[in-house]
Structure formats: C-alpha cells, structure tokens
Amino acid sequence: MFTRLSIPTPFQVGPVNAYLAGRTLVDPGPGSEEAWAALLDGLEARGLGPTDVEQVLVTHPHPDHFGLASRLREEGARVVASPTTAEVIADFGARLDYEQSYFVDMFERHGMARETAETVTDLPEVFLKVAPGVETDRRLEDGETVEVADTGVTAEAVQGHAPGETIFTFETDAELRAIVGDHVLADITPNPLLQPPVPEESASGAGASAPIHGERPRVLPAFNRSLATLRDREFDRFLPGHREEIPNPTERIDQILDAHEERTENVKEIVADGPTTAVEVMEELFNDLPATEYFSGMSEAVGHLDVLDERGEVDAREQGGVVVWEVAA
C-alpha cells in the first residue's frame, strides 16, 4: 500500500523513510533544500508534484520526520498529527528552549559539570534550521482513523522515543502492518530519549515560559511496556522511519527487549560497586563518548536506572547536592 521514499538528513542516523500512498505522505523529512529536492524527485517519479499531496501524517516531533511538513502545507496539504506532536511542531524552538531550561539543571544534579550540561543541551540548536514550525490541521487522538488511499489507517499512541509518538496501523494484502516511525528499527536499538515534565501552561504546551512542575516521564519503562504490547499483537510487517522494512516484528521486538534487559543488568552491576551517579553509569557504559552523544548516553543511563527503580532494585538519594544510586537494601 505504501511506497518508501528515501529522504536525506543531516543527522548521523542517515536517510529517513517517507511513505507515500495515494495523495498521503507520512514523515516527509527534514526542512532542508537537499531533502526537498529528493522528495520532489520521488514524487515526480510517481507522476506527482508537491501540490498533489493532500495530507501529511507525522509519527513524532523530531525534525528529520516533520521538517518538510511546513513546505507541503504551503503547497496545500493538510497536516495530521497527535495532539502532543501538534503542540511541539507548532514551535519547535520553544520546545527546545523548554527542554534546555530543564535538562541543564537535571544533568548537573545527576553529576555533570554545569558547563558541560550547558554545552550538551545547546547542541540541538542546529536542528532549528531544518525544523520550521507548522500548524496541524487535524489532531488525531489515540484510536482515531484517517483515510489513506481508500483505506482506514488507525493512529495508535506509543511511548518511548518522543513525546506524542504515534504509529499508524492498517490492514493490506491480508496482513496487519504499521508505520512505526522510530519506535522499532531493523538494525538499531531506538533511543529512549529523556523528556522533561509535561508543561502546565503555555498556549503551545511546549513554550520556554511554561513552568516546570511534576515528575519527568520515565521513558524507558514506558518504552518497554509499549514494545511488549506491540509484540503481543503479532503484526506481520513494520515500516520503520529509517533503513529497511521489518518483516518479522515480533522477533525484532524480542531482540530489542532482550538488549534492554541485558543493559539494565549491566547498570545494576555498576551501581553494586557503591553510590553511583547517572553520569558515572554513562561513562561506564560508553567509554570515551563524545559530547555530541551525551544526551543519548544520559538517556540510556537514567532510563535503565528508572527501570531498576520501578522494580525496587535500586534507591536514589542526594549526596552533596548530587543524586546517587545504590542497590536497594
């Protein structure tokens, strides 16, 4: 039903997969001229131009997936996304400001030098040039359907990689399939990226002025639960956001969950040596990690500590203003 278009990105992960069916495009790619040229080539090869695209579906609010939505909307397409994704992509810069204001303090509390934390959280500012804001014309709630090429496609909320993450499920050729964004990838274990607490005030729900209250989402435990739910549904095929299709979703999910569990056990062994900060866990897991990867590294470290904390296997306490983790008594 869907045809894959490979769209270049400026990111280490490489090209993003856009998916075309009829006049619907899913995840058009980053907002760069190189990506736009590749998208136009892909559309032209199928007898279409940008004005022929009637709707753009977005799986999650990362620039390599939504960046070109603004340009296609200017050409007449409507943009369709989950409510949370809609809030973020309306003003990605405001969301970035909000995250920076939270994570500088959080990383410092977890053992990182403040200057380093500021550098790490400033790095994503390069994303802004490929992430122009775009309004969403239809906000799809979990379980709602949208028509794509005369077929009903269902938006299903998942958790673990990004706020507002959605997969699009459908039946075709007697198979249950899903466009899964970056929730499941064929040969990469998706990053359970840290998220700040949900903003309580702000017209966009993501603004830098929104007060930071409440608990941050425990992303990796939620990711594991989300993956287990998908595994139990026995999909026939996944269409991921990067690289090749996944013809054996259940097997691939098992591999990811096994990898998560192995790393969780590694983190428990690190903490068993005595009071340990999340930064120290990151450094043990990833030797000589460049600063450009610190956010992903901290996401891994804190994520697995969260899993252990939920299981009651570790405890956190403050020591000299820094959070340290120990094996539970």
Side-chain angles (χ1 to χ4, degrees), residues 32-82:
S32 68
E33 290 303 318
E34 182 184 21
W36 181 245
L39 178 60
L40 293 184
D41 287 344
L43 292 173
E44 184 178 1
R46 292 156 182 82
L48 300 172
T51 59
D52 294 312
V53 177
E54 295 178 354
Q55 62 182 355
V56 175
L57 275 57
V58 179
T59 61
H60 64 286
H62 285 169
D64 54 333
H65 292 261
F66 79 83
L68 283 177
S70 175
R71 204 153 178 177
L72 288 164
R73 190 172 187 268
E74 291 173 357
E75 298 285 350
R78 69 170 186 163
V79 175
V80 180
S82 73

Side-chain angles (χ1 to χ4, degrees), residues 145-159:
T145 62
V146 59
E147 187 170 295
V148 176
D150 299 320
T151 298
V153 172
T154 303
E156 300 191 25
V158 292
Q159 294 178 295

Side-chain angles (χ1 to χ4, degrees), residues 226-237:
S226 185
L227 288 171
T229 298
L230 290 181
R231 176 192 58 195
D232 293 344
R233 291 176 59 186
E234 298 183 347
F235 281 86
D236 295 293
R237 183 173 294 269

